[in-house]
Amino acid sequence: MKCLPAELISSLQSAKRVTVLTGAGLSAESGLPTFRGDGGLWKKYKAEDLASIDGFLKRPQVVWEWYEYRRSIYANARPNPGHLALVELEKFYPEFTLITQNTDGLHFAAGSENILELHGNIRRNRCHLCGKLYPEKVEPNGQVPPRCGCGGMLRPDVVWFGEALSPSILDAAWRAASQSELFFSIGTSALVQPAASLSLVAKRSGAVLVEINLEPTPLSFEVDYFLEGKASEWLFLIKEALQ
Ligand code: OAD
């Protein structure tokens, strides 16, 4: 049976500023595939073909259709108990920031409020030329991908490999990490930068660092607590410890 360490419970109860970084492992329990590991998207598909501007410019139709396929899966996904526990944590702490690498929008659907989407949101589009934002569903106007008024092709509003993150979102994430007393890294392989560095920023600024994952990651030897197992199960215990 899982049990939170007593010192972690006391940190949970005394902290005022808490930051959480989530990754694909949190949404795995909503039925969405992760990127790495068994069954991960990047085991089956090449990231450079489907998640880079070069891949998009080379085969825009293929990339667009792959994202449409993923959206059809995401459309049926619902927040799981892990997402819902994070909504409760946000109510408990005076300062709470939820940084996510996930583009599925499930933290919003669950009801979390202070969310920083580091890698964008797959449920939106934007013009690859002028940057104008579009909703997920757009009139195809006979072309695949659909075109913006300026003539540019639409693409999902996500950050692809080799692209910069939004400076304002990254700044806010950095600030939250460096000001937190308690920082959680949940369901992420901690391999993709700059997201992975946020945990270390928090630790070096004095935060207690907690990782929740099914298996150890490169971050694990830096953390104060490694909680091995499903995110939803540990988050349930954490939520209970605050009641
Ligand atoms: P990964 O697929 O790299 O890692 C998922 C992690 O979740 C692994 O370490 C798993 O062990 C863990 N995991 C799986 N199920 C879990 C569960 N139920 N509870 C706890 N942990 C679990 O996903 P990310 O680290 O999120 O980029 O990937 C980072 C970025 O790489 C993504 O945002 C994506 C991808 O390319 C973009 O979309 C821009």
Side-chain angles (χ1 to χ4, degrees):
M1 204 181 97
K2 289 187 171 65
C3 190
L4 290 171
E7 312 83 70
L8 176 55
I9 294 180
S10 101
S11 299
L12 280 165
Q13 290 173 341
S14 63
K16 300 273 177 283
R17 296 183 304 278
V18 174
T19 303
V20 174
L21 171 69
T22 62
L26 186 71
S27 293
E29 293 180 55
S30 293
L32 299 183
T34 60
F35 293 93
R36 297 165 189 83
D38 292 342
L41 291 173
W42 300 151
K43 289 269 171 177
K44 242 196 313 188
Y45 305 99
K46 280 192 181 161
E48 59 270 32
D49 290 345
L50 297 167
S52 76
I53 190 66
D54 289 347
F56 177 66
L57 293 177
K58 217 191 272 168
R59 296 191 301 164
Q61 183 169 347
V62 169
V63 174
W64 177 264
E65 282 169 355
W66 188 67
Y67 279 92
E68 287 288 271
Y69 161 69
R70 280 181 62 197
R71 285 165 169 163
S72 71
I73 297 170
Y74 284 36
N76 296 317
R78 296 287 169 267
N80 66 57
H83 294 103
L84 299 174
L86 288 170
V87 177
E88 297 306 312
L89 259 65
E90 180 164 22
K91 290 183 192 149
F92 186 84
Y93 291 110
E95 286 183 41
F96 183 88
T97 307
L98 179 48
I99 306 169
T100 188
Q101 297 167 89
N102 298 341
T103 62
D104 52 40
L106 287 179
H107 287 303
F108 283 106
S112 286
E113 287 180 4
N114 192 21
I115 305 170
L116 298 171
E117 289 185 310
L118 279 186
H119 293 164
N121 191 314
I122 199 173
R123 318 292 301 264
R124 283 192 307 261
N125 288 298
R126 73 167 194 268
C127 171
H128 104 103
L129 285 183
C130 73
K132 182 174 172 192
L133 288 174
Y134 285 82
E136 178 181 4
K137 300 258 176 269
V138 272
E139 279 302 313
N141 53 30
Q143 287 174 298
V144 182
R147 299 298 194 270
C148 174
C150 80
M153 292 184 287
L154 298 197
R155 54 164 283 181
D157 188 26
V158 297
V159 177
W160 280 333
F161 287 98
E163 294 183 326
L165 277 60
S166 148
S168 60
I169 292 178
L170 187 56
D171 269 10
W174 222 260
R175 213 168 326 114
S178 62
Q179 292 172 357
S180 51
E181 293 162 85
L182 200 48
F183 187 100
F184 290 88
S185 174
I186 306 178
T188 170
S189 56
L191 290 170
V192 173
Q193 296 294 353
S197 297
L198 291 166
S199 306
L200 300 176
V201 167
K203 170 128 202 218
R204 284 171 198 150
S205 309
V208 172
L209 184 53
V210 185
E211 181 177 42
I212 303 177
N213 202 303
L214 294 181
E215 59 190 25
T217 71
L219 180 69
S220 304
F221 69 95
E222 298 271 3
V223 303
D224 297 292
Y225 300 97
F226 177 68
L227 306 180
E228 184 170 349
K230 285 188 175 178
S232 62
E233 293 176 4
W234 283 114
L235 284 167
F236 174 79
L237 292 182
I238 289 168
K239 187 187 82 173
E240 292 288 290
L242 297 175
Q243 276 163 5

